[in-house]
């Protein structure tokens, strides 16, 4: 009898233990979550984007005429200091004449032969006039001798003098004509000559020296090597590296919220954060294709440094920086991390934790940035909310704060 009761007691105990274990395993456990506390403090909303530094006034030295520019780098290098109206930035020389085709070559050969004949003709004319002049001078000498004995009339003497003066003038004209024909012949000969590819030794007086239009530094050398350039071709850029500003191409939807004079924080440039302010927002935008191939409307925004140059003197032309333009700022704002927000219909909501249970609470949100959001109503300072709620978190679910891992 005693054995039967012992078996029954052990069976009941085993069933009790099994039932308790099943209840313990089936009992819902609290969901481990990260919690955040609503606090009051300062908050600001910024527009963040990349920007580039640039020299405010860049001067481009261009070729005034078409010609051959001598090599610029060296002697000039990027970063060299230059002085206005003193430093020679580039030197230009005349270009070599170009080749001509076969027909033009034959035409020039014929023109050269004609020019040679014209020179010979002018030389023969000079010899004829010189002979006539010598004869007229001889006749004048005879007329003067006869006039002293009154053997001829005064009119005959004057006629002899007239012939001498006429022949002298004709000789001067013929010599000038010969010089013209020789110059014409030289012109045709120069046009006919083929270039060998080697330029003659240049005359320093024939070259054009391009001097620095402003005192500053060389920012960019566009035409480094020697070569032939057209009129207006850019050669070198000059500017003052301490006269820097920043340019950011912002989305048009962000640019409309920025006002001139807005404070800016600059970082990610390789040094400590800097301060600046917006000086200008362009009234026109432009289309820019993003890295993902999406067309975006961008607006150019210009930013000036407010810190002294000693803090940002390491920056140069076309350096990359990150700018944070402040569009809203306030003190004593009730804030919460944006990771706690989720959509409930058309409203914003958060899971507030009260007595260990999550309660979905609709709130009114004001300003937001990448980290925090302004809570206008629905919760108060000190309330704790679920940060980054998962699909397991629902209204009325028991939650527990996740322990921090050391």
């Amino acid at each position: 009898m005693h054995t039967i009761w012992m078996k029954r007691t052990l069976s009941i105990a085993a069933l009790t233990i099994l039932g308790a274990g099943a209840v313990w395993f089936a009992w819902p456990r609290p969901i481990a979550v990260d919690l955040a506390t609503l606090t009051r403090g300062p908050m600001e909303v910024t527009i963040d984007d990349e920007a580039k530094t640039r020299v405010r006034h860049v001067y481009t030295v261009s070729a005034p005429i078409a010609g051959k520019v001598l090599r610029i780098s060296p002697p000039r290098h990027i970063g060299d200091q230059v002085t206005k109206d003193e430093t020679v930035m580039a030197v230009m020389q005349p270009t070599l004449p170009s080749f001509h085709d076969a027909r033009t070559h034959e035409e020039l050969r014929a023109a050269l032969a004609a020019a040679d004949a014209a020179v010979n003709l002018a030389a023969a004319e000079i010899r004829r006039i010189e002979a006539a002049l010598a004869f007229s001078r001889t006749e004048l000498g005879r007329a003067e001798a006869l006039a002293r004995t009154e053997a001829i009339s005064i009119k005959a003497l004057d006629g002899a003098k007239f012939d001498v003066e006429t022949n002298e003038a004709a000789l001067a004209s013929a010599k000038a004509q010969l010089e013209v024909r020789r110059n014409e012949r030289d012109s045709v000969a120069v046009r006919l000559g083929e270039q060998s590819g080697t330029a003659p030794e240049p005359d320093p007086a024939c070259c054009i020296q391009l001097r620095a239009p402003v005192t500053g530094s060389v920012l960019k050398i566009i035409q480094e090597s020697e070569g032939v350039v057209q009129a207006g071709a850019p050669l070198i850029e000059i500017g003052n590296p301490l006269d820097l500003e920043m340019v950011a191409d912002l989305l048009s939807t962000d640019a409309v919220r920025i006002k001139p004079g807005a404070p800016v924080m600059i970082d990610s440039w390789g040094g400590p954060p800097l301060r600046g302010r917006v000086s200008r927002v362009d009234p026109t935008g432009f289309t820019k294709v993003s890295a993902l191939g999406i067309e975006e409307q961008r607006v150019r925004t210009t930013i000036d440094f407010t810190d002294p140059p000693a803090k940002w003197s390491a920056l140069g032309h076309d350096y990359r920086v990150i700018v944070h333009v402040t569009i809203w700022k306030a003190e004593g704002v009730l804030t919460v991390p944006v990771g706690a927000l989720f959509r409930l219909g058309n409203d914003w909501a958060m899971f507030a934790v009260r007595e260990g249970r999550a309660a979905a609470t609709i709130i009114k949100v004001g300003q937001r940035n990448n980290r925090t959001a302004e809570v206008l109503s629905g919760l108060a300072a000190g309330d704790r909310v679920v940060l980054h709620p998962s699909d397991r978190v629902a209204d009325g679910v028991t939650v527990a704060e996740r322990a921090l891992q050391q």
Side-chain angles (χ1 to χ4, degrees), residues 105-148:
H105 184 75
E106 294 300 326
E107 290 177 351
L108 291 176
R109 289 182 59 186
L112 181 61
D116 288 335
V119 170
N120 295 333
L121 179 62
E125 183 67 14
I126 289 177
R127 291 194 298 271
R128 184 189 67 79
I129 296 176
E130 286 177 345
L133 178 60
F135 177 76
S136 61
R137 286 175 176 172
T138 302
E139 289 296 317
L140 177 60
R142 293 172 181 170
E144 288 177 346
L146 294 174
R148 285 193 294 269

Side-chain angles (χ1 to χ4, degrees), residues 86-223:
E86 293 184 7
T87 307
V88 177
M89 306 307 303
V91 178
M92 295 190 65
Q93 294 179 352
T95 59
L96 298 174
S98 60
F99 292 105
H100 45 255
D101 54 38
R103 184 177 67 178
T104 304
H105 184 75
E106 294 300 326
E107 290 177 351
L108 291 176
R109 289 182 59 186
L112 181 61
D116 288 335
V119 170
N120 295 333
L121 179 62
E125 183 67 14
I126 289 177
R127 291 194 298 271
R128 184 189 67 79
I129 296 176
E130 286 177 345
L133 178 60
F135 177 76
S136 61
R137 286 175 176 172
T138 302
E139 289 296 317
L140 177 60
R142 293 172 181 170
E144 288 177 346
L146 294 174
R148 285 193 294 269
T149 60
E150 297 181 356
I152 61 173
S153 64
I154 299 300
K155 181 179 180 181
L157 179 62
D158 292 338
K161 292 180 179 179
F162 175 76
D163 291 339
V164 171
E165 293 177 357
T166 302
N167 289 329
E168 288 178 348
L171 180 60
S173 177
K175 289 181 178 180
Q177 188 69 18
L178 176 61
E179 189 66 24
V180 171
R181 298 307 179 191
R182 286 175 176 172
N183 290 334
E184 290 177 350
R185 192 265 178 200
D186 293 341
S187 176
V188 176
V190 170
R191 293 175 57 193
L192 182 63
E194 299 288 351
Q195 295 298 329
S196 62
T198 58
E201 191 67 24
D203 182 7
C206 75
C207 302
I208 299 177
Q209 294 183 343
L210 306 180
R211 299 183 182 272
V214 66
T215 300
S217 300
V218 177
L219 302 179
K220 183 178 181 182
I221 299 177
I222 303 172
Q223 180 72 30

Side-chain angles (χ1 to χ4, degrees), residues 295-377:
E295 290 188 353
E296 300 172 336
Q297 289 303 117
R298 297 274 178 167
V299 177
R300 184 152 296 172
T301 304
T302 307
I303 302 169
D304 291 335
F305 289 101
T306 55
D307 285 335
K311 291 187 176 182
W312 48 265
S313 59
L315 285 171
H317 185 60
D318 271 347
Y319 279 38
R320 173 188 175 272
V321 297
I322 300 296
V323 294
H324 309 275
V325 183
T326 302
I327 59 175
W328 182 85
K329 186 176 182 180
E331 300 289 339
V333 178
L334 182 61
T335 60
V336 66
V338 293
L341 296 173
F342 65 91
R343 278 290 186 179
L344 187 60
N346 295 326
D347 300 319
W348 286 106
M350 288 186 292
F351 283 112
V353 178
R354 297 185 178 91
E355 298 179 355
R357 292 184 178 274
T361 305
I362 296 176
I363 63 171
K364 186 176 181 181
V365 177
Q367 298 288 340
R368 285 185 299 160
N369 56 28
N370 296 333
R371 300 173 299 277
T372 58
E374 178 189 15
V375 179
L376 299 178
S377 62

